[in-house]
């Protein structure tokens, strides 16, 4: 299958942007798709180290920096009408238009933030492949990170009785990225994006109290 995999406009698909979980998931999904034998067109910004057949840089790092306006990349919003999303979505949609074939699949981890791209190509399925956020696209097929979050989103969006083509696949990682240490150092482990809403401040305070 030919897959148009959309990166997110506030990062570049390299390890240098690992503080953004959406970027990490994009890179992991690209790797999974290639392992399964699919043809991957990856749309991003600047540099790329994720496995793919074709990397399409739809924005330059300079354009990205100007549109971020000094905001840290991991806290930037890429909701649909932000200038960052408008530029990224428009250029990605135009490139897909120039190369798409019947049976292609568009994949996003930005939901409503990239809905414009799906709407520009209504004949192609639009898949949100790792939903762990609230802002889903109305026309997408969805894979949720957990059953609990799937039902939360159903509540947010007024879905009753489920959606026939939704599924749950928990997030995955490469085991070698997290080697087992039988004698770990003295530390507290925090898992989550480094933004206030994820509880990083509370985790730091708990670690201080624990000594």
């Amino acid at each position: 299958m030919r897959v148009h995999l959309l990166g997110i406009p506030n990062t570049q698909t390299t390890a240098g942007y690992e503080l953004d979980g959406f970027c990490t998931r994009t890179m992991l999904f690209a790797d999974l798709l290639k392992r399964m034998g699919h043809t991957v067109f990856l749309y991003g910004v600047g540099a790329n180290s994720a496995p793919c057949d074709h990397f399409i840089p739809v924005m330059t790092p300079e354009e990205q920096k100007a549109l971020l306006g000094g905001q840290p990349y991991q806290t930037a919003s890429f909701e649909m009408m932000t200038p960052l999303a408008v530029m990224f979505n428009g250029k990605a949609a135009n490139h897909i238009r120039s190369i798409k074939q019947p049976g292609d699949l568009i994949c996003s981890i930005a939901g409503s933030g990239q809905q414009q791209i799906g709407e520009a190509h209504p004949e192609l399925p639009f898949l949100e492949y790792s939903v762990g956020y609230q802002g889903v696209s109305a026309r997408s097929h969805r894979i949720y990170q957990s059953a609990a979050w799937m039902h939360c989103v159903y509540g947010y969006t007024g879905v009753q009785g489920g959606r026939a083509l939704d599924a749950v696949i928990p997030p995955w990682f490469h085991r070698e990225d997290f080697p087992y240490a039988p004698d770990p150092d003295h530390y507290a482990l925090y898992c989550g994006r480094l933004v206030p809403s994820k509880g990083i401040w509370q985790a730091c305070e708990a670690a201080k109290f624990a000594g």
Side-chain angles (χ1 to χ4, degrees), residues 47-70:
N48 171 63
S49 60
C52 63
D53 297 279
H54 307 279
F55 176 65
I56 301 97
V58 297
M59 291 172 55
T60 67
E62 292 74 24
E63 290 172 326
Q64 181 187 67
K65 183 178 180 180
L67 292 171
L68 285 173

Side-chain angles (χ1 to χ4, degrees), residues 13-211:
T13 43
T14 70
Y17 289 81
E18 62 185 5
L19 295 183
D20 191 295
F22 296 101
C23 180
T24 300
R25 296 246 61 81
T26 301
M27 296 177 69
L28 287 168
F29 192 54
D31 180 64
L32 177 64
L33 290 170
K34 287 306 305 169
R35 289 173 185 249
M36 296 176 67
H38 298 298
T39 300
V40 178
F41 298 83
L42 176 56
Y43 298 78
V45 180
N48 171 63
S49 60
C52 63
D53 297 279
H54 307 279
F55 176 65
I56 301 97
V58 297
M59 291 172 55
T60 67
E62 292 74 24
E63 290 172 326
Q64 181 187 67
K65 183 178 180 180
L67 292 171
L68 285 173
Q71 184 178 9
Y73 72 87
Q74 69 271 24
T75 64
S77 170
F78 44 89
E79 295 181 3
M80 184 165 52
M81 297 312 298
T82 62
L84 187 66
V86 168
M87 176 178 286
F88 185 96
N89 292 351
K91 291 188 175 183
N94 286 337
H95 190 86
I96 292 173
R97 184 174 293 107
S98 70
I99 65 169
K100 65 182 178 180
Q101 297 179 7
D104 285 3
L105 175 67
I106 301 175
C107 292
S108 170
I109 196 171
S112 60
Q114 293 180 332
Q115 182 171 314
Q116 292 168 322
I117 300 174
E119 290 174 343
H121 307 284
E123 79 281 14
L124 301 182
F126 186 73
L127 172 67
E128 296 182 63
Y129 61 87
S130 191
V131 179
Y133 46 84
Q134 181 178 344
V136 291
S137 168
R139 68 175 300 271
S140 66
H141 304 287
R142 302 174 198 154
I143 297 174
Y144 290 87
Q145 295 183 0
S146 70
W149 187 249
M150 178 177 69
H151 290 292
C152 282
V153 173
Y154 284 174
Y156 289 137
T157 56
V159 172
Q160 298 183 12
R163 299 171 79 239
L165 299 179
D166 285 356
V168 174
I169 301 176
W172 64 96
F173 300 91
H174 293 310
R175 183 179 299 177
E176 58 269 25
D177 290 341
F178 300 91
Y180 172 69
D183 299 306
D185 294 333
H186 185 68
Y187 61 84
L189 176 64
Y190 166 81
C191 294
R193 285 189 294 140
L194 300 182
V195 294
S197 63
K198 297 297 183 181
I200 180 64
W201 180 85
Q202 291 87 343
C204 291
E205 290 299 300
K208 290 178 183 178
F209 282 117

